[in-house]
Amino acid sequence: MILMTMVLLATQGPPTLGALANLSPRAAGEIVLAGKDHEPIAKIVVPTGRGMDPPGMVERQLVEQSVAGPQGCSRRRWIARFSHAPGVAEGEAALSSVWASTEIALPGAAGCPDDGYVHLNPGLEATQALPALRYLDDIRLGDAPAQFTCSDETASGLCADPGKIRQALAKLSPWAVTRQNGQMVFWLGGAGQAVTEVRYSPDRPDQVTVSRRIPAPF
């Protein structure tokens, strides 16, 4: 395996999907991310549930091994795009672009989890987002005081009373966080579900706005 990786690294031209197919995630990461600063790749993900790739384009996601810090866990997810001409086998698709996004999670009893990470929108650092994620957990579990402002486009009964709001939030998992106009903004819910948004200002964390809406059909 080491010899194969060294040969592929020395090969002229960008790597292809076929050349990476039989490599371990770590070895494939060394090739795809050659010249980039990165942690060892723990797994390679084939995206699902979002429709087909554009014609001639194939995507793979290379997920780094998590790094534990004093506030929580972080890792990067590298998005690798491979392209091929019409009529060319997918295995011949060559690497055309690669970029990274950062994900965070709170540690469990066994350390950093394998799944359940929250995507950080550009411009937000893990050192800012991890305390906010922990506070969101406190809101969801009733461990932090909160005065809710609530709106709901669905018939879920989300806004019936503060207890209902906390119960609903406790059943959902956050999947993305950003900072808008000085507020921390989280999106919760699974694929195909209504989007539940939670936002608060670090200056007034007890003032929490919750909204639920039906996602756009595209």
Side-chain angles (χ1 to χ4, degrees):
M1 185 68 72
I2 295 176
L3 178 60
M4 185 184 298
T5 302
M6 293 176 64
V7 170
L8 288 171
L9 283 170
T11 302
Q12 295 296 319
T16 64
L17 274 179
L20 303 174
N22 296 320
L23 297 179
S24 67
R26 184 168 186 151
E30 292 298 329
I31 294 169
V32 173
L33 304 177
K36 299 183 182 296
D37 181 25
H38 66 91
E39 297 295 326
I41 298 303
K43 62 182 176 180
I44 297 178
V45 177
V46 180
T48 59
R50 56 171 202 171
M52 298 178 62
D53 288 313
M57 191 71 66
V58 184
E59 180 179 306
R60 294 292 184 268
Q61 299 177 5
L62 288 74
V63 183
E64 289 183 351
Q65 183 175 302
S66 301
V67 175
Q71 297 176 311
C73 306
S74 64
R75 69 186 187 188
R76 283 178 296 181
R77 181 180 296 261
W78 295 85
I79 311 301
R81 291 275 176 89
F82 297 78
S83 59
H84 60 92
V88 175
E90 186 176 285
E92 297 301 314
L95 182 66
S96 58
S97 63
V98 61
W99 69 94
S101 61
T102 300
E103 303 173 337
I104 61 168
L106 299 177
C112 291
D114 293 329
D115 299 300
Y117 282 72
V118 179
H119 168 80
L120 302 191
N121 273 15
L124 186 61
E125 300 293 331
T127 52
Q128 300 170 305
L130 278 165
L133 180 59
R134 188 171 295 279
Y135 190 76
L136 174 67
D137 252 21
D138 290 342
I139 293 173
R140 295 166 65 216
L141 300 176
D143 294 332
Q147 295 184 17
F148 293 106
T149 300
C150 186
S151 62
D152 184 8
E153 294 180 1
T154 73
S156 68
L158 172 69
C159 301
D161 59 65
K164 290 281 188 180
I165 295 174
R166 289 193 195 266
Q167 290 174 15
L169 295 182
K171 296 177 182 178
L172 298 174
S173 297
W175 51 268
V177 58
T178 191
R179 190 179 179 98
Q180 294 178 349
N181 301 319
Q183 292 185 317
M184 303 303 299
V185 184
F186 288 89
W187 291 284
L188 299 85
Q193 298 178 353
V195 177
T196 302
E197 181 183 283
V198 177
R199 60 171 64 214
Y200 69 87
S201 169
D203 296 333
R204 293 293 307 275
D206 60 319
Q207 304 295 309
V208 182
T209 300
V210 179
S211 61
R212 177 169 288 174
R213 62 184 183 276
I214 300 172
F218 53 81

